[in-house]
Amino acid sequence: MSAFTRAGENGRLTVAVPAKGRMAEPALRLLADAGLSFETTERSLVVPCANAPVDLLLVRPSDIPEYVQDGVVNLGVTGANLVVEAQAEVVTLAELGFARCTLQAAVPNDAPHMEIADLTGLRVATAYPISTRLLLGERGVDVELVPVSGSVEATPRLGLADAIVDLVSTGSTASANGLRLIGTLLSSQAVLVGGRAAVDARHELVERLELMLSGVVAARRRRYVMMNATTETLPAIRDVLPSMGAPTVVPLARDGDIAVHAAVAADEVWSLLPALRDAGATSILVIPIERLVP
């Protein structure tokens, strides 16, 4: 760690990345998809990139906001909720599109409480006491916090708390433990954060990394659709084709035949393909996009 007490002293950008947990693998995959070349092992701590002046530091995600704030590293990939929990003074540079979750309040199924305001005066167990007190305080809800480090869902059943506040991805864990969600305090996902001094001092490198990561994140949300059509069916196809601006239309060898290309939202493909076919498109091809820089 001594090599990172003054991040970037050797002219390289230092980026903290989760070493374990649900953010670790997608964070490393995103960095690799963005074009960084590196190799990690189970014992890796400092990972230099072979093709860019970037060093990765693999650490606990909960430590990353403070490492960035204190200048131990220049940038970090961590959860937005962890930034709030650490109350770290960092700059959020980009939302990375994975590790999506919400910080939610929940009560036992047979409890009378229906919304967050109903928690006033109750014992609330959470592994995120700073965030919970801050976010409840913003709503004027005063509770007795019960900080716990694990098995938050079990605390009402054990008589330790009347309600909980915990991270939720699908809600299945809460349901399995006889809990009912009553409100969202915070929406979170993985984010790229930077120290204010580092963002100013290393502006060119920081901007380049942010651009590469954002290009991959934007591309993952899109698909490139190509299809054959005719000049007669083009108006109908354009009516059902959401795209980034106007679609590209390419004449084919036979008069009246054209190819239509467009980038569309990935979550629209399910409903889009039947509509395109009904509008007269044929030989429809959907392919992933590697990078997308507006």
Side-chain angles (χ1 to χ4, degrees), residues 36 44 46 66 104 116 170 173 294:
L36 294 178
S44 293
V46 180
E66 291 187 7
Q104 295 218 32
I116 290 176
T170 64
T173 302

Side-chain angles (χ1 to χ4, degrees), residues 222-282:
R222 295 277 176 171
R223 296 293 183 269
Y224 197 69
V225 180
M226 299 183 289
M227 69 208 78
N228 289 341
T230 66
T231 52
E232 288 79 11
T233 59
L234 179 59
I237 290 172
R238 292 188 61 174
D239 286 344
V240 300
L241 188 63
S243 66
M244 298 175 59
T248 299
V249 179
V250 181
L252 298 180
R254 189 168 61 184
D255 288 344
D257 286 354
I258 56 175
V260 181
H261 298 188
V264 303
D267 58 6
E268 294 177 344
V269 171
W270 170 263
S271 58
L272 181 61
L273 295 188
L276 287 173
R277 184 191 59 188
D278 293 344
T282 60

Side-chain angles (χ1 to χ4, degrees), residues 100-104 166-169 181 184-188:
R100 293 182 182 275
C101 57
T102 53
L103 190 66
Q104 295 218 32
D166 201 14
L167 285 182
V168 174
S169 295
L181 302 177
T184 299
L185 294 175
L186 176 72
S187 295
S188 179

